[in-house]
Amino acid sequence: VVAPTLNGGRNVPRGIADAKQSSSTVCPSAIFTSDFGSGGAFLVREKALRSITEPGARPEGAVRSYLSSVVKALEELKVDHDNAKHLDDEIIAAIDNSRPIRDGYLEFIGRATGDLARYDLGNLLVEFLEQAASICQFRGTGSYREADFDGIRFAVMELFLYTVAWLLHRERYEVLDTILSETYVVSSLGGEQRKRRYGTFWFPLESIEQYRNQRLKLRITSPVALLLKQRDPGTEVGFDSVKQVEFLLFLRHTFLGERGKRWKPRTLAYSNDPDFPSPLPLFHAAESPRRFRRLQAMLKVRDVAQLVASFEESYPTPESRYLKLGDWPISLVHLANMHELSAEKFGDAS
């Protein structure tokens, strides 16, 4: 993988996980997560998958049990800063060890989003995401560092992005609207209950984005984006889908004037050209009814004319139409294909 660098150039292809590893310790969660795809956890997932497709089955209980087992597995990804020579190495190890959890969940969500009846997938996913958000922060006693939870946070963020991507791919718009419109009640330090929107699943992950980047002199625009790219599952919904979802979440917050944390689309660092990036697929042929329905579901726009008008209102100045990632100012106009859509809006498609 060739990662975009901080100065806008390109660096030598190198994996973030294996770049100058300086710790040989194995994350304590390795044993747990390596067994996640087999044994008891495997049976829980298989039962959930069978319940989705078997005629006459009532999937809610099996699906809820499986999703609870995912949350418990994710909780094991917390690292112990007291025993870590380099905490970022332990966090990367935890993320590597989360792959069986991630892959099992992707198989589940791929199948679950293909089933249209018999159970309320939206509410089950809201319950799951709410539990997942609550394990991303310290809730107990004793000493801790924010970075101790960065392995969990990365894994939860990744699962959220793929959940949205699969729902969009399967055109499950009602379920999609449920999880994006929900107010999540998240438990925090001292038992306080806080209300959050979907932006709660975006995390700074400074132990990777800043500390590791500086310590290993990686000079990568976003090591988190590189991790997501390296972990592309190679299925019909992969890294490119996640990149598009991140951009849509970024636009949605502005278009709808939503409250709460704004989604910052790190993966756009992998645009082919920051000044003139290729339009993302849904925007490239927005006049297609099937593609536009997906934009409509995410951005709540009535037609192409309203899409253009919302973009122009949200980003009124030339400066506002660039997103800066590191030293890269990326053209939002080209990503959203506004240069073509605007012409069509005013009847000049030449």
Side-chain angles (χ1 to χ4, degrees):
V1 177
V2 180
T5 57
L6 292 171
N7 61 5
R10 297 280 172 175
N11 69 353
V12 177
R14 178 172 59 181
I16 190 76
D18 59 10
K20 299 184 181 178
Q21 283 283 4
S22 59
S23 173
S24 60
T25 56
V26 177
C27 175
S29 62
I31 296 175
F32 184 92
T33 55
S34 64
D35 289 339
F36 189 81
S38 60
F42 174 81
L43 295 176
V44 172
R45 180 166 59 85
E46 287 302 299
K47 183 177 180 181
L49 292 174
R50 283 197 308 272
S51 72
I52 290 170
T53 55
E54 284 181 356
R58 298 184 63 84
E60 288 88 346
V63 170
R64 185 175 281 112
S65 294
Y66 166 65
L67 293 175
S68 294
S69 75
V70 172
V71 173
K72 290 178 182 177
L74 292 173
E75 207 162 9
E76 295 291 324
L77 301 176
K78 178 179 176 292
V79 302
D80 182 0
H81 65 266
D82 290 331
N83 297 319
K85 181 179 179 181
H86 294 293
L87 188 61
D88 58 305
D89 283 342
E90 298 300 307
I91 292 165
I92 293 297
I95 291 170
D96 286 345
N97 291 328
S98 74
R99 191 182 290 268
I101 307 171
R102 194 281 308 266
D103 290 348
Y105 179 82
L106 293 189
E107 182 182 358
F108 161 78
I109 199 66
R111 288 207 215 170
T113 53
D115 180 65
L116 299 179
R118 296 189 297 111
Y119 68 106
D120 191 340
L121 178 61
N123 280 338
L124 289 169
L125 287 175
V126 165
E127 288 178 17
F128 163 65
L129 291 170
E130 197 166 71
Q131 293 171 24
S134 291
I135 65 171
C136 290
Q137 51 198 316
F138 184 74
R139 293 175 294 160
T141 59
S143 64
Y144 76 100
R145 296 181 187 176
E146 281 296 322
D148 293 353
F149 296 86
D150 277 358
I152 301 176
R153 290 165 178 161
F154 176 92
V156 168
M157 179 192 68
E158 185 179 40
L159 294 188
F160 174 77
L161 287 170
Y162 275 104
T163 298
V164 174
W166 269 107
L167 290 170
L168 202 59
H169 178 72
R170 297 288 199 197
E171 301 181 1
R172 297 294 302 273
Y173 302 136
E174 184 177 346
V175 179
L176 180 64
D177 193 59
T178 296
I179 69 170
L180 294 183
S181 301
E182 179 65 24
T183 298
Y184 296 91
V185 179
V186 180
S187 300
S188 60
L189 183 63
E192 183 182 354
Q193 304 287 300
R194 297 183 177 179
K195 296 178 181 180
R196 296 285 186 265
R197 300 299 298 275
Y198 63 83
T200 196
F201 301 106
W202 187 94
F203 302 99
L205 300 174
E206 293 178 358
S207 62
I208 304 170
E209 290 284 71
Q210 297 180 21
Y211 176 73
R212 186 173 182 80
N213 211 359
Q214 293 169 4
R215 183 175 73 83
L216 300 182
K217 297 180 174 58
L218 299 175
R219 295 187 59 76
I220 295 173
T221 303
S222 173
V224 170
L226 176 56
L227 277 171
L228 287 167
K229 184 173 178 63
Q230 289 178 326
R231 289 163 62 89
D232 187 335
T235 59
E236 57 191 308
V237 174
F239 176 76
D240 286 342
S241 302
V242 163
K243 184 168 70 171
Q244 184 161 249
V245 162
E246 283 215 295
F247 185 51
L248 289 169
L249 292 174
F250 169 77
L251 291 180
R252 179 187 172 101
H253 188 280
T254 307
F255 278 23
L256 303 188
E258 293 180 330
R259 300 175 64 182
K261 192 194 304 181
R262 186 178 190 177
W263 199 279
K264 299 175 184 177
R266 297 178 172 104
T267 51
L268 293 183
Y270 285 92
S271 302
N272 59 328
D273 181 335
D275 294 319
F276 304 102
S278 299
L280 293 170
L282 290 183
F283 295 91
H284 186 64
E287 69 277 6
S288 159
R290 180 177 62 86
R291 287 186 173 89
F292 189 77
R293 280 195 295 271
R294 294 174 179 173
L295 290 175
Q296 198 171 35
M298 289 293 294
L299 303 177
K300 303 299 181 184
V301 288
R302 182 179 57 255
D303 49 32
V304 172
Q306 189 180 9
L307 172 64
V308 173
S310 294
F311 184 92
E312 292 175 347
E313 181 180 345
S314 299
Y315 307 103
T317 65
E319 295 79 11
S320 68
R321 296 180 180 183
Y322 284 86
L323 173 69
K324 192 170 184 180
L325 294 175
D327 292 335
W328 286 35
I330 298 175
S331 170
L332 301 179
V333 169
H334 287 81
L335 283 172
N337 202 28
M338 285 296 137
H339 52 302
E340 290 189 8
L341 295 179
S342 294
E344 292 173 10
K345 173 188 172 186
F346 294 110
D348 178 13
S350 61

